[in-house]
Amino acid sequence: MNQDIKEVLFSKEMIDQRVQEIGSKITKDYQMKDLVLVGILKGGVPFLADLIRAIDLPLEYDLMAVSSYGASTKSSGTVKIMKDLDMGIEGRDVIIVEDIIDTGLTLHYLLQNIRSRRPTSLKVATMLDKPSQRKMQIQPEYNGFEIPDVFVVGYGLDYAGKYRNLPFIGILKEEIYQKK
Ligand code: IMP
Ligand code: MG
């Protein structure tokens, strides 16, 4: 699988260290709060799994699934809830946990949707941020790394469902998606 990667942007060690830093920050910011992390399937799962263990506080987590790009590398702009939360979040302190913010369309929709359930507070943690592609004004409170406009895979990020299990984040060779 590694032969499909043109360049590794963030090694496993870099990711681990950044997740620990974000976890420590959240631990400081959420003392005495009623913390709920909402992981976004499927890309947010590795980050969620590592982040919860880097937070030294009582917390709960839940999962939501929204429609994704399918096999395309560009955003369709349409968002649909495929799996909703199991728990109520009214009056609780919610952090949405995402793999990447690109156009911001997904998060814009999710923020509105979750805000309507009246959490006490609502913030965003994302592993990656591609600010150059933004269509909606969204600024994550917790951000792993900023990247330029490149298509990346690994650590939850996929191309056509694959590569999510890579322990690093890298740029996919163009020939891989030109083949399809
Ligand atoms: P947005 O709605 O454009 O912000 O897109 C967010 C979603 O697009 C993410 O949750 C990813 O599933 C997907 N996405 C955006 N950029 C990339 C990328 O470089 N690699 C893999 N998936 C991406
Ligand atoms: Mg995706």
Side-chain angles (χ1 to χ4, degrees), residues 40-41 43-44 66 68-69 73 75 77 79 98-107 128 130 133-134 147 150-153 156-159 164:
I40 307 305
L41 294 170
V66 291
S68 72
Y69 295 5
T73 59
S75 177
V79 182
E98 256 283 35
D99 50 0
I100 188 168
I101 310 176
D102 187 18
T103 62
L105 289 166
T106 309
L107 257 181
L128 296 178
K130 258 191 225 180
Q133 293 308 298
R134 215 60 115 245
I147 60 165
V150 287
F151 191 79
V152 292
V153 294
L157 291 150
D158 72 303
Y159 172 65
R164 293 191 197 274

Side-chain angles (χ1 to χ4, degrees), residues 25-172:
K25 182 81 172 56
I26 291 174
T27 303
K28 285 204 194 81
D29 293 349
Y30 284 81
Q31 298 285 323
M32 311 298 290
K33 306 268 192 204
D34 185 10
L35 179 58
V36 179
L37 300 189
V38 173
I40 307 305
L41 294 170
K42 305 176 176 120
V45 166
F47 182 33
L48 177 76
D50 288 342
L51 187 59
I52 53 173
R53 288 173 290 174
I55 299 172
D56 186 17
L57 289 174
L59 61 79
E60 288 184 54
Y61 70 83
D62 201 348
L63 297 160
M64 257 178 108
V66 291
S67 53
S68 72
Y69 295 5
S72 162
T73 59
K74 287 285 166 218
S75 177
S76 62
T78 44
V79 182
K80 225 171 86 188
I81 292 186
M82 312 302 281
K83 185 226 170 283
D84 205 349
L85 296 175
D86 296 329
M87 62 173 73
I89 52 161
E90 182 169 352
R92 310 189 71 181
D93 297 290
V94 175
I95 303 177
I96 299 176
V97 180
E98 256 283 35
D99 50 0
I100 188 168
I101 310 176
D102 187 18
T103 62
L105 289 166
T106 309
L107 257 181
H108 176 79
Y109 174 83
L110 273 171
L111 282 167
Q112 275 191 320
N113 182 287
I114 292 180
R115 201 171 282 130
S116 73
R117 307 179 201 199
R118 303 165 59 87
T120 295
S121 68
L122 180 58
K123 290 188 182 178
V124 173
T126 187
M127 193 60 221
L128 296 178
D129 190 6
K130 258 191 225 180
S132 61
Q133 293 308 298
R134 215 60 115 245
K135 292 189 178 137
M136 297 292 175
Q137 238 210 323
I138 281 166
Q139 184 63 52
E141 283 82 3
Y142 305 101
N143 177 20
F145 303 104
E146 248 183 45
I147 60 165
D149 183 24
V150 287
F151 191 79
V152 292
V153 294
Y155 200 64
L157 291 150
D158 72 303
Y159 172 65
K162 299 289 194 323
Y163 307 101
R164 293 191 197 274
N165 58 320
L166 293 177
F168 55 83
I169 294 168
I171 302 175
L172 198 60

